[in-house]
Structure formats: C-alpha cells, structure tokens
Amino acid sequence: MLILHLSDIHFRRSEVSTAQDPNYHLRNELLRDAEAQCRELGAPDVVLVSGDIAFAGQIEEFSFATEWLKELCDRCGCPLTAVFVVPGNHDVVRAKADSPIVQSMHLAIKTAAHPRDEITRLFLDDEGPRLLLDSLGNYNNFALQFFCDLYAPNRTIAKRGIQLNDGSILRLWGLNTALVSSSKDKEAELFVDSSCFQIPNEAGVVNLVMAHHPFNWLREGPALEDHLNDVAAVQIFGHTHTNRVNLNRDYVRFSASAANPERHEAGWEPGYNLIKLEVSTAPTRVLKIEGHIRVWQTSPGKFIPKQDRSSPVYRHDIQIGAWAGQSNQKKTVEANVVQTSTEPELPQMAAEQEFELRELALKFYRLSFSQKSAIAGSLGLFEDSDVSLPDVERFRRVFIRAHERGKLKELAAAIQNHK
C-alpha cells in the first residue's frame, strides 16, 4: 500500500489562479516530483491531507483545492476518490468562529474542570453542534465529496478502511483538532472530543490516525498521546511546517512539512511524504513501513529525499500481532458512516460499490445548491426532520437514504442529467 501525504497547502483566494500566485512554480514542481515518484513506487492507494487545505476557509479556496487535488491524483495514477482529509485552523471561517455566541461556547470548554464533558454537553444540546461546527461549514461542504465531513455528536471523526496485502484492514481515523479554533488560538488551548480517546485495538486492523495539530497544541495532548501510542501504529500530523519522523517500537509518527509554507517564515522547507506499508506474516506479523520524505532544496530548486543517516528511505518494522484472517477474503472497505441508531447507516460494502458511491459524491459536489436540492426532492430523499440541519448534513443523508432505499441508480441518473 502506498500513501501520498500532504499538509498545509494554504490555497489563498487572493493568489490562486492569478499571475501573482507566489507558489505556482512550487506546486508545479511538487506535481512533477510526485508523478515521477509514483512511476517508481506505484499509484497511491490513498491521498492524505492533514489540514489547512484553505487559507481562510473560503469557498473559492476549497474549489481550487478540489481541482488541484484532481490534477495531483491524475498525475499519480489514482482516482480523486482516494483523497481523505481532516480540517486545520486555516479551514475555519474565523468571522464565524469569533462571533460572541461561539466564543462563549469556546470559553465554557476552556474554563471547564473537565473540558471533554463540556464538549459532550454542548454536542448533545439542540443548537450546540450547529453553532460549534458552523465555522467549518465550507470545509464540510468540500469534505463531503470524500465522505470526510463531520457533524456532532456521532460523526466527529472521519473514518475509512482500506485492505492491506494480507487481507487485514488499515483503518484511517481523521481527528478534528480545529473544534474550538478561532483567531484566539494558543498552544495547549485546543481540544478534541471524547471519541478520540475511544479508538480501539482490534484483531486484523492497523490504525492510522491523522490530525492537523500535534499534541503540544492540545490541552489534553499528553493524555491523547498516551492513548494513540497504544492503539495507532501510524500517526500523522501537520501544522508545524517542520518535518520530523519518530520511529518507536509500537508506532511511527510523521510530522509534515507544509506543501505551501509562508515564504518568510524561519526554516522554510516545503515538502510532502510517500509512505509505503506492507504486512509480512512470516515468522510473525510485522507492519513494514517505508517513509519517502520529499523536501525542497534551492539552487537548483527541486524536491529531494530527506536522509535517514545515509539512507534516502526511513524504514521501520512494528510487531502487530497474530490474526486468523485469510489473505484471499473479499475486499471490503468502510465508509465514514452515520453511527446512531436513529439515523440510517451506510454499511460495509464491496470495494467496487464503495468506489461507485465515492465517484457519485464527487459528481454531486460539482452541482449547484438548487440542482442538489431539486434532485433530492424529486427522489423523496429529504425528510421533515432535516429542516434544522446544516445543508451539508442534509445532502449527506441523501446518499445514505439513496443507498438504504435502493435508489443509487436513480440518483446517479439524476446527477448525470444535471451535468
């Protein structure tokens, strides 16, 4: 399995698609380098983006990101459905996060004796989820096309499963560390909700956890670090714009360079990662990890491998325990699904079906709001209970109900007619 990992792309509305874009050349060289690397290593099975996709959470920035990620995937030989994302602080619309009512909720969390309990209380309030996540509305609309959108209280982690070479599952967990992000962000003053502390160990599953902010930016960072070190063999972070690889007995941690760091910041070092995973089963099950860390050099300008001593590849093995599964079992995947008994669920499905659903989501994303609404209404996929929900959550349920009611073909035909 090959993972292409990017972070902190920072598409800025005032720059992208203009002649004054200061990062056009850098992004072009990244595309060229990733294309060349994937010719050697193979097409990526998943493309991870660990936050700060936009610069100010604007719709146009996310639209540009979609088109750029499509070009990246095309060049690397994988479909756009391979993309998996989490939000960062730059994906937040700060005008909404800085509003008095939202700031009062942030303050309640920050001053609570038990912040996780306070987050849960607000998540269970009738208006709490909408208010707390409103600043991520544009991000969620973008993330829905990859089924990585978030909504409280029951889908606060993006989740996906991909089959490894021995038939076991690499389970991706995308954490939201931007829950209380605003213009008032300070180190050690951000939070995650309780579900992040409940990621389980399971037989036949290797956990990969991705978050934008590293542990030092979280109030409960040490506690979360302890938990993830116990359950997640692969850990991926962004935000710091500094490349680090931490090889531990039980996990490997990648802290990413920024794909588009600010040019005037100290230690300017654009980069991205290619991470290769393989399970070896003899004599014991071992997760074999190769990290191909690509960093920018100047004069001449190009991406080169970051060295692990004298090697251009970081190699590490982790014991992952026995598993009785068969390598020839039917390939299945897990979508990021609604997880409550009161809402329809999207069950585990064959990889081919899951791919078709993700392709459909990408096409749906490109339609206008009125076109989406017309399609959902004509197929009877809206319900009265949806009225109070954010638009992105209503449209997510369109897909879930279409699957549940056997209307995916009708939905596909309706989307095609509106293209």
Side-chain angles (χ1 to χ4, degrees), residues 42-103:
D45 295 277
V46 62
V47 177
L48 302 179
V49 188
S50 53
D52 280 5
I53 297 140
F55 182 78
Q58 300 300 310
I59 293 172
E60 298 89 342
E61 295 168 347
F62 289 116
S63 295
F64 187 89
T66 297
E67 297 307 314
W68 189 83
L69 287 168
K70 184 178 186 307
E71 183 176 3
L72 174 69
C73 290
D74 287 345
R75 290 199 184 201
C76 293
C78 67
L80 186 57
T81 55
V83 171
F84 184 84
V85 298
V86 295
N89 50 293
H90 278 278
D91 299 316
V92 169
V93 178
R94 287 191 172 180
K96 293 184 176 182
D98 287 352
S99 70
I101 189 168
V102 175
Q103 281 298 304

Side-chain angles (χ1 to χ4, degrees), residues 91-399:
D91 299 316
V92 169
V93 178
R94 287 191 172 180
K96 293 184 176 182
D98 287 352
S99 70
I101 189 168
V102 175
Q103 281 298 304
S104 68
M105 298 171 82
H106 288 186
L107 183 62
I109 293 169
K110 292 175 181 179
T111 57
H114 304 286
R116 272 185 270 163
D117 292 347
E118 180 64 15
I119 292 170
T120 299
R121 185 187 73 80
L122 292 171
F123 277 175
L124 295 176
D125 179 82
D126 288 343
E127 288 296 306
R130 183 183 64 79
L131 291 168
L132 274 174
L133 295 173
D134 188 41
S135 60
L136 284 172
N138 292 339
Y139 165 82
N140 266 334
N141 185 56
F142 161 82
L144 174 59
Q145 63 185 319
F146 310 116
F147 291 115
C148 293
D149 54 304
L150 305 168
Y151 196 66
N154 296 301
R155 202 179 63 257
T156 56
I157 297 179
K159 182 180 172 185
R160 189 183 299 179
I162 308 171
Q163 194 172 51
L164 288 159
N165 59 288
D166 71 335
S168 61
I169 293 293
L170 176 71
R171 185 165 294 154
L172 312 179
W173 302 83
L175 311 189
N176 177 16
T177 59
L179 177 63
V180 300
S181 181
S182 70
S183 64
K184 296 178 172 57
D185 286 359
K186 293 180 181 178
E187 189 171 337
E189 287 297 307
L190 296 179
F191 298 85
V192 293
D193 69 283
S194 291
S195 65
C196 298
F197 293 84
Q198 304 305 318
I199 296 170
N201 281 312
E202 298 178 73
V205 173
V206 174
N207 288 323
L208 181 156
V209 169
M210 179 170 69
H212 180 65
H213 295 90
F215 299 118
N216 60 299
W217 277 83
L218 304 175
R219 173 82 65 82
E220 296 184 285
L224 182 63
E225 183 176 13
D226 286 344
H227 175 63
L228 296 186
N229 288 350
D230 289 340
V231 301
V234 184
Q235 304 172 15
I236 291 177
F237 297 92
H239 189 64
T240 59
H241 301 188
T242 303
N243 198 294
R244 294 285 186 273
V245 182
N246 185 354
L247 307 177
N248 189 278
R249 183 193 66 179
D250 298 321
Y251 64 84
V252 59
R253 184 179 301 155
F254 296 92
S255 299
S257 295
N260 272 344
E262 292 288 341
R263 289 182 169 272
H264 303 297
E265 67 183 45
W268 185 76
E269 186 188 53
Y272 72 100
N273 303 325
L274 288 154
I275 303 165
K276 198 171 183 178
L277 303 179
E278 183 179 5
V279 177
S280 173
T281 58
T284 58
R285 286 183 79 236
V286 173
L287 181 67
K288 303 182 78 65
I289 302 161
E290 288 185 8
H292 300 255
I293 314 302
R294 308 293 294 176
V295 294
W296 181 256
Q297 74 164 27
T298 55
S299 301
K302 64 177 182 178
F303 284 93
I304 61 171
K306 182 172 182 174
Q307 298 284 316
D308 181 17
R309 297 181 178 174
S310 59
S311 173
V313 181
Y314 286 74
R315 289 186 171 88
H316 192 54
D317 292 351
I318 297 175
Q319 298 283 337
I320 54 175
W323 176 60
Q326 300 296 317
S327 61
N328 62 352
Q329 68 180 23
K330 186 176 181 181
K331 185 173 182 180
T332 58
V333 289
E334 301 160 358
N336 173 29
V337 301
V338 175
Q339 297 175 338
T340 68
S341 58
T342 58
E343 298 169 357
E345 296 188 8
L346 191 63
Q348 195 174 90
M349 63 183 70
E352 295 79 9
Q353 290 177 304
E354 188 264 356
F355 178 78
E356 290 173 4
L357 190 65
R358 293 188 183 281
E359 283 281 304
L360 201 58
L362 292 173
K363 294 175 182 176
F364 192 71
Y365 170 78
R366 293 175 180 272
L367 301 179
S368 67
F369 175 85
S370 60
Q371 288 173 326
K372 294 174 185 174
S373 298
I375 289 171
S378 67
L379 295 177
L381 298 174
F382 278 152
E383 294 187 355
D384 292 344
S385 58
D386 298 339
V387 172
S388 62
L389 297 173
D391 293 333
V392 66
E393 183 65 14
R394 297 174 69 206
F395 289 133
R396 159 177 271 275
R397 296 186 184 199
V398 166
F399 281 91

